Amino acid sequence: MRATVIHAPHDIRVEEVPDPAIRLPTDAVVRVLKACICGSDLWAYRGESARQPGQRIGHEFLGVVEETGAGVDGFTVGDLVVAPFVWSDGTCAYCADGLTTSCPEGGFWGSVGSDGGQGEAVRVPHADGTLVKLPAAAASDDRLLTALLALSDVLGTGHHAALGAGVTEGSTVAVVGDGAVGLCGVLAAKRLGAERVIALGRHTARTDIARRFGATDVVAERGEAALAAVRELTRGEGAHSVIEAVGTEQSMRTALDIVRDGGAIGYVGVPHGSASGVDLGVMFDRNIALRGGVAPVRTYIPELLPDVLDGTIDPSPVFDLSIGLDEVPAGYRAMDGRTALKVLITP
Amino acid sequence: MRATVIHAPHDIRVEEVPDPAIRLPTDAVVRVLKACICGSDLWAYRGESARQPGQRIGHEFLGVVEETGAGVDGFTVGDLVVAPFVWSDGTCAYCADGLTTSCPEGGFWGSVGSDGGQGEAVRVPHADGTLVKLPAAAASDDRLLTALLALSDVLGTGHHAALGAGVTEGSTVAVVGDGAVGLCGVLAAKRLGAERVIALGRHTARTDIARRFGATDVVAERGEAALAAVRELTRGEGAHSVIEAVGTEQSMRTALDIVRDGGAIGYVGVPHGSASGVDLGVMFDRNIALRGGVAPVRTYIPELLPDVLDGTIDPSPVFDLSIGLDEVPAGYRAMDGRTALKVLITP
């Protein structure tokens, strides 16, 4: 089959790789209908996250079950399924708690020896624990299929951030980061009942989506001016809940600047760089909570799926460029250059 | 009157200072019956927290109202009262939310221009918002009075840590720090229904108090061995809730080591030193929450007071050395040298 391979920073190729096959009875093979490029893939692309030459890449996909191991009970050939961005066994103590990302049997698509999502097919370990079935009818609805793809990462990650930030009915939320995760954070905050959602961002194409997703205010300023603008909108106090969806030192500092005393930062931006932006002394004095991390999206899919199916929420606008598999290298360039927000791949 | 003054690191003196007097209608003057020395006072004593020469010191006291301003409604002369370690107006948005430590009118005893708790009397700003009345009968019960003094800081701070760590009925809690706050964290965790409370500490005098307060296990090891011991007690996973009651880089690292994936660290140790011990990358991968800070103990006093009055909880064993006001310098030396756990002062 053909799949995306990363050979070195900025060297992404689509090439012929071995077809996936059942290795363990708990495996399934899924033929990919839709996949996409994640902002976090760019860290590997830019060389900021180490990869071995020849690793696969891509961790978001949905598709059709093509083959199942003898031990797979929950799926049959032909099922339409979505995969969360990590696999997990569904049976351990962590999975029982909903923390599927800490499953000792779990792993990431594209890690050494595993398939990535940006290819024609994927061997799925622990298929029963990992995959979630979608209604067959969705396969013929391209818009819906695109929306459902967001369940594999960005929608659940935005939801995780909103939970971490303590978003509740009537709360005020600020969102740092205008990427797909930040925008899904807006959507998730609104879904959880936030009354006021302040999106920080300077790109009108993105902040327009934020407004469509429920943002009540947009702050285009940066640094001190952004802080002043958020204060102005929040009686001088800051937002109870802040979603940090970038992962840089600067974004964490901004989150800390604009959160209200006693509030919480829900952070889902993958931390990178040597400094964290976390100032424990400031957090201590102001009783700021920090909650979040790698989102256990497998746990959230059953809760979010009905709302996507019935159109209550529609994350599909985060995909603003649609390409075929051969165009994936161009897709990375587009996201790296910020000419695309999130790239949809139809293999 | 006589009060404790800090002139320089290791230079603590008890000397004659001006008598406190009503300055604003919302003030009261409280004659101190019991005060004490806090572990956090030692940062000033050791020169790790800056103080201006001549500042007062001490932030924990209870006593009798001696005079009230014209605007004080809740107290009359002769009332027995306890003061939390910060004053607050009781009327602002933060006070309404229970975050009295963020009150814009609030302040710390011993800050420049204010009285400290380690003296004969204290001018109390915003008396109505700050003080809490105690039953008059308690004044004649020395053991009870000592227990009630813990409401001014360490008991409420331990409670704040337990809440931050997410302690619930049946949970497993580990406590880093065997000072008075850590021990009160044990007491608070037990009170909130923790089934298993693991106290980390090497001093048997202190861990004996921990056991008396409800610790089910004591881990005397340090570093890697402590981690292994806690893992051994928690099915290899770590504790859902960890109370961090020290504030050093090492103690925060230990907390992060022994917390279970998806768990929370409730931190109330005043952060000091240049590094925080917070590893955001580790927290991200393991979904560790960090919650806590300076405890709004004023908010907790009404909840904790009945349990102290009826003996459900008795924090008084944390006071293991009782002195008069003139002996305060010796009290600092005893706590600095760890020959005393917490020093009780009867002016």
Side-chain angles (χ1 to χ4, degrees):
Chain A
M1 69 161 179
R2 292 175 66 73
T4 307
V5 177
I6 180 162
H7 288 273
H10 300 280
D11 182 2
I12 294 266
R13 302 179 213 165
V14 177
E15 53 195 39
E16 200 63 30
V17 300
D19 285 335
I22 302 294
R23 287 187 215 162
L24 294 168
T26 46
D27 289 353
V29 171
V30 171
R31 173 76 33 188
V32 176
L33 291 181
K34 297 276 181 198
C36 52
I37 303 176
C38 184
S40 66
D41 291 332
L42 296 179
W43 304 129
Y45 181 74
R46 293 170 182 157
E48 296 182 37
S49 301
R51 290 291 185 280
Q52 291 183 24
Q55 266 185 255
R56 307 289 178 79
I57 193 164
H59 54 261
E60 300 153 285
F61 63 96
L62 55 69
V64 175
V65 174
E66 196 169 69
E67 197 181 347
T68 58
V72 174
D73 295 323
F75 300 93
T76 54
V77 173
D79 280 347
L80 183 67
V81 293
V82 62
F85 68 85
V86 297
W87 68 81
S88 53
D89 66 13
T91 58
C92 71
Y94 289 108
C95 285
D97 286 354
L99 196 68
T100 50
T101 47
S102 287
C103 174
E105 298 295 320
F108 287 80
W109 311 113
S111 56
V112 175
S114 80
D115 293 319
Q118 294 159 8
E120 290 180 325
V122 175
R123 180 182 76 89
V124 176
H126 295 289
D128 279 337
T130 304
L131 299 171
V132 178
K133 205 178 292 192
L134 302 173
S140 56
D141 181 340
D142 203 62
R143 200 280 313 156
L144 179 58
L145 214 54
T146 301
L148 291 167
L149 176 63
L151 290 167
S152 69
D153 184 346
V154 289
L155 183 57
T157 296
H159 180 66
H160 190 56
L163 293 178
V167 175
T168 53
E169 195 78 40
S171 59
T172 294
V173 185
V175 180
V176 180
D178 61 3
V181 170
L183 294 172
C184 284
V186 171
L187 201 59
K190 203 71 189 179
R191 180 179 169 277
L192 290 169
E195 188 178 306
R196 188 158 207 170
V197 181
I198 304 165
L200 279 73
R202 292 173 303 151
H203 299 77
T204 48
R206 298 177 177 210
T207 55
D208 285 350
I209 298 174
R211 288 193 190 275
R212 194 165 155 189
F213 282 2
T216 52
D217 304 273
V218 167
V219 168
E221 290 85 353
R222 304 191 84 175
E224 287 294 318
L227 169 58
V230 173
R231 288 265 165 88
E232 173 82 25
L233 292 168
T234 55
R235 300 182 305 179
E237 297 176 351
H240 268 100
S241 299
V242 175
I243 290 175
E244 195 291 293
V246 182
T248 61
E249 181 180 352
Q250 179 54 45
S251 62
M252 186 60 87
R253 285 196 193 283
T254 299
L256 199 49
D257 280 344
I258 64 175
V259 70
R260 185 180 190 266
D261 285 18
I265 299 171
Y267 74 110
V268 290
V270 184
H272 60 280
S274 56
S276 65
V278 172
D279 185 328
L280 197 63
V282 169
M283 285 178 58
F284 183 88
D285 290 345
R286 299 177 52 215
N287 269 280
I288 308 303
L290 187 60
R291 268 185 306 226
V294 56
V297 299
R298 173 62 184 82
T299 299
Y300 300 140
I301 295 175
E303 180 185 343
L304 299 171
L305 176 58
D307 284 4
V308 177
L309 288 174
D310 72 11
T312 303
I313 51 173
D314 176 14
S316 68
V318 300
F319 298 99
D320 64 343
L321 177 62
S322 181
I323 61 174
L325 187 57
D326 288 339
E327 299 159 282
V328 166
Y332 274 84
R333 287 193 295 274
M335 278 185 64
D336 186 39
R338 286 177 73 90
T339 59
L341 169 55
K342 190 164 180 73
V343 174
L344 178 70
I345 303 164
T346 306
Chain B
M1 70 162 179
R2 292 175 66 73
T4 307
V5 177
I6 179 162
H7 290 272
H10 301 278
D11 182 2
I12 293 267
R13 302 178 213 165
V14 176
E15 53 196 37
E16 201 63 28
V17 299
D19 285 335
I22 302 293
R23 286 188 217 162
L24 292 170
T26 47
D27 288 354
V29 171
V30 171
R31 172 78 32 190
V32 176
L33 291 182
K34 298 277 182 199
C36 51
I37 303 176
C38 184
S40 67
D41 291 332
L42 296 178
W43 304 130
Y45 181 73
R46 293 169 182 158
E48 297 182 38
S49 300
R51 289 290 184 282
Q52 290 183 25
Q55 266 185 252
R56 308 288 179 77
I57 192 164
H59 54 262
E60 301 153 285
F61 63 97
L62 55 70
V64 174
V65 174
E66 197 168 69
E67 197 183 348
T68 58
V72 174
D73 295 323
F75 301 93
T76 53
V77 172
D79 281 347
L80 183 67
V81 292
V82 63
F85 67 86
V86 297
W87 69 80
S88 53
D89 66 13
T91 58
C92 71
Y94 289 108
C95 286
D97 286 354
L99 196 68
T100 51
T101 48
S102 288
C103 174
E105 298 296 318
F108 287 80
W109 311 113
S111 55
V112 174
S114 80
D115 292 320
Q118 295 160 8
E120 290 180 324
V122 174
R123 181 182 75 88
V124 176
H126 295 289
D128 279 337
T130 304
L131 299 170
V132 178
K133 205 177 292 191
L134 301 173
S140 57
D141 181 340
D142 203 63
R143 198 279 313 155
L144 179 58
L145 214 53
T146 301
L148 291 168
L149 177 62
L151 290 167
S152 68
D153 184 346
V154 289
L155 183 57
T157 296
H159 180 66
H160 191 55
L163 293 179
V167 175
T168 53
E169 195 78 40
S171 59
T172 294
V173 185
V175 180
V176 180
D178 61 3
V181 170
L183 294 171
C184 285
V186 170
L187 200 59
K190 203 72 189 178
R191 180 180 170 277
L192 290 170
E195 188 178 306
R196 188 157 207 170
V197 181
I198 304 165
L200 279 73
R202 293 172 303 152
H203 299 76
T204 49
R206 297 176 178 212
T207 56
D208 285 350
I209 298 174
R211 287 192 191 276
R212 195 165 155 189
F213 282 1
T216 52
D217 303 273
V218 167
V219 168
E221 291 84 351
R222 302 193 87 175
E224 286 295 318
L227 169 59
V230 174
R231 287 265 167 89
E232 173 83 25
L233 293 168
T234 54
R235 299 181 306 179
E237 295 174 353
H240 268 101
S241 299
V242 176
I243 289 175
E244 195 291 292
V246 183
T248 61
E249 181 180 351
Q250 179 55 44
S251 62
M252 185 60 87
R253 284 195 194 283
T254 299
L256 199 48
D257 280 345
I258 64 176
V259 69
R260 185 180 190 265
D261 285 17
I265 298 170
Y267 74 110
V268 290
V270 184
H272 60 280
S274 57
S276 64
V278 171
D279 185 328
L280 196 63
V282 169
M283 286 179 58
F284 184 90
D285 290 346
R286 299 176 52 214
N287 269 281
I288 308 303
L290 187 61
R291 268 185 306 225
V294 55
V297 301
R298 173 62 185 82
T299 299
Y300 300 140
I301 294 175
E303 179 185 343
L304 298 170
L305 176 59
D307 285 4
V308 177
L309 288 174
D310 72 12
T312 303
I313 52 174
D314 176 14
S316 69
V318 301
F319 298 98
D320 63 343
L321 177 62
S322 183
I323 62 174
L325 188 58
D326 287 339
E327 299 160 281
V328 166
Y332 273 85
R333 286 193 295 274
M335 277 185 63
D336 186 40
R338 286 178 73 92
T339 59
L341 170 54
K342 190 165 180 72
V343 173
L344 179 70
I345 303 164
T346 306

